[in-house]
Amino acid sequence: MTSASELTDHTGYWMRMVSNAVSHEFARKVSGEDVTVAEWSFMRALYDCEPTPPSVLAERMGMTKGAISKLGERLVAKGLVERAESQQDKRAHSLSLTTAGRAKIPILAALADANDAEFFGVLTKEEHEMLDRILRILAERRELKATPVD
Amino acid sequence: MTSASELTDHTGYWMRMVSNAVSHEFARKVSGEDVTVAEWSFMRALYDCEPTPPSVLAERMGMTKGAISKLGERLVAKGLVERAESQQDKRAHSLSLTTAGRAKIPILAALADANDAEFFGVLTKEEHEMLDRILRILAERRELKATPVD
DNA sequence: TCGATTAAGTTTCCTAGTCAACAACATTGA
DNA sequence: TCAATGTTGTTGACTAGGAAACTTAATCGA
């Protein structure tokens, strides 16, 4: 027999709950900069390595090509990202941050810092490091088994 | 100056990435039972404590009243949940699992077990326990500061 | 060299949420 | 007792993302 207490004993459940809370609060914070969490994620991925084709972003962000297509278009419309058509392949293009986009990065990063501090500041240094370490192990693992999302 | 490596060093970022992967895979698993992650979450919340008014579920699940209203209606349509009108308050009602809904709980719980095992099985017992402990601390903390979502 | 297949992005349709306006009912206080 | 205010849940407009069909271009193989 499955007892009620067992049912809440899923790590995935707690993770979703905490992650949602963190993301929700972060969304609130960045909305002041007229940016969504997905947009920040997109911009940061670009910052790490640009110019980048949408297909690569899709894989890195775990989103579909369609979603990236729309998200990219929104960011271009906001003037934070720009496209460069490829000469080798007329279907393809690559994306980069604009000067304005690049300028926003430190501001948004500061908000992310603040959000992290707000949520994870209750942990001891040891707990926080352990959490980071564990999340990286899991993310890395995901990388290996990642089924193409599309 | 903010360096590129700092930007991926947000715990919230990794948490969202891992949580999304876990939830996505879980969604795939439960879709075989014709249930969504939100529906499972709803049913489990009910299982813990029924009958429950929608307003309480909304708070417990961190969703808006509107979302709960629609989610509940879907579950009633699927025959997994039933409403009972309140006599004291003619606006209100409460929700419970039907026999069919209750019967599904162990099946879905088994899928959640499998999903947890699949993702968190790579961790050592010590790491897994630590992760659970930390997530509970964070969830509890969230509880305290939870702004009504609506 | 040209048809078939594959690849890169876009678009359309659908689902599931939020938000805000709302209707119905309850409560409270003069 | 009844108007003002608060509460419960629903609805409609809107948004973001997924799935799959589609367009266009590249590549591959006889």
Side-chain angles (χ1 to χ4, degrees):
Chain A
M1 181 58 196
T2 313
S3 84
S5 65
E6 267 186 70
L7 290 183
T8 51
D9 266 355
H10 290 114
T11 308
Y13 167 81
W14 290 104
M15 188 109 125
R16 182 156 22 90
M17 164 166 291
V18 173
S19 172
N20 284 348
V22 174
S23 285
H24 189 267
E25 173 56 22
F26 184 54
R28 206 189 57 72
K29 284 192 173 73
V30 294
S31 71
E33 292 292 322
D34 197 31
V35 162
T36 67
V37 175
E39 286 167 2
W40 155 246
S41 187
F42 190 107
M43 289 172 71
R44 193 210 25 225
L46 272 190
Y47 186 87
D48 279 347
C49 165
E50 58 178 346
T52 310
S55 48
V56 172
L57 281 174
E59 196 188 346
R60 296 228 320 247
M61 295 176 62
M63 289 173 68
T64 62
K65 301 178 303 178
I68 292 294
S69 181
K70 295 165 197 167
L71 185 46
E73 210 257 311
R74 263 178 270 150
L75 283 165
V76 169
K78 285 188 183 180
L80 299 172
V81 163
E82 60 194 352
R83 310 171 45 129
E85 305 303 326
S86 158
Q87 284 100 338
Q88 296 84 27
D89 187 335
K90 285 179 188 168
R91 295 167 302 180
H93 64 265
S94 60
L95 299 161
S96 309
L97 292 169
T98 61
T99 308
R102 184 164 289 276
K104 258 193 182 310
I105 295 284
I107 299 167
L108 298 172
L111 293 176
D113 288 340
N115 204 55
D116 261 32
E118 182 175 333
F119 274 91
F120 304 109
V122 289
L123 302 176
T124 66
K125 186 164 151 48
E126 192 186 40
E127 284 168 343
H128 197 159
E129 278 168 3
M130 183 64 140
L131 177 60
D132 278 343
R133 202 167 71 69
I134 290 172
L135 290 174
R136 268 148 222 266
I137 292 171
L138 296 171
E140 209 169 292
R141 177 75 174 184
R142 180 202 91 108
E143 199 73 13
L144 299 174
K145 63 192 304 266
T147 314
V149 78
D150 206 1
Chain B
M1 180 59 196
T2 313
S3 84
S5 64
E6 268 185 70
L7 291 183
T8 51
D9 268 355
H10 289 114
T11 308
Y13 167 81
W14 291 104
M15 188 109 127
R16 181 156 21 89
M17 164 166 290
V18 173
S19 172
N20 284 349
V22 174
S23 287
H24 189 267
E25 174 55 23
F26 184 55
R28 207 188 57 71
K29 285 193 172 74
V30 293
S31 71
E33 292 293 324
D34 197 31
V35 161
T36 67
V37 175
E39 285 167 2
W40 156 246
S41 188
F42 190 107
M43 291 171 70
R44 193 210 26 225
L46 272 190
Y47 186 86
D48 280 346
C49 165
E50 57 180 346
T52 310
S55 49
V56 172
L57 281 174
E59 195 189 347
R60 296 229 320 246
M61 296 177 62
M63 288 173 67
T64 60
K65 301 177 303 177
I68 292 295
S69 181
K70 294 166 191 169
L71 185 46
E73 210 257 313
R74 264 178 269 150
L75 283 165
V76 169
K78 285 187 182 179
L80 300 172
V81 163
E82 60 194 354
R83 310 171 44 130
E85 306 303 326
S86 158
Q87 282 100 338
Q88 297 83 24
D89 187 334
K90 285 179 189 168
R91 295 164 302 178
H93 63 265
S94 60
L95 299 161
S96 309
L97 292 169
T98 61
T99 307
R102 184 164 289 276
K104 259 194 182 307
I105 295 282
I107 299 168
L108 297 172
L111 292 176
D113 287 340
N115 203 55
D116 260 30
E118 182 177 332
F119 274 92
F120 303 109
V122 289
L123 301 176
T124 65
K125 186 164 152 46
E126 193 186 39
E127 284 167 344
H128 197 159
E129 279 169 2
M130 182 66 140
L131 177 60
D132 278 343
R133 204 167 66 71
I134 290 172
L135 289 175
R136 269 150 221 265
I137 292 172
L138 295 171
E140 208 169 294
R141 177 75 176 185
R142 180 202 90 107
E143 199 73 10
L144 298 175
K145 63 195 300 268
T147 314
V149 78
D150 204 0

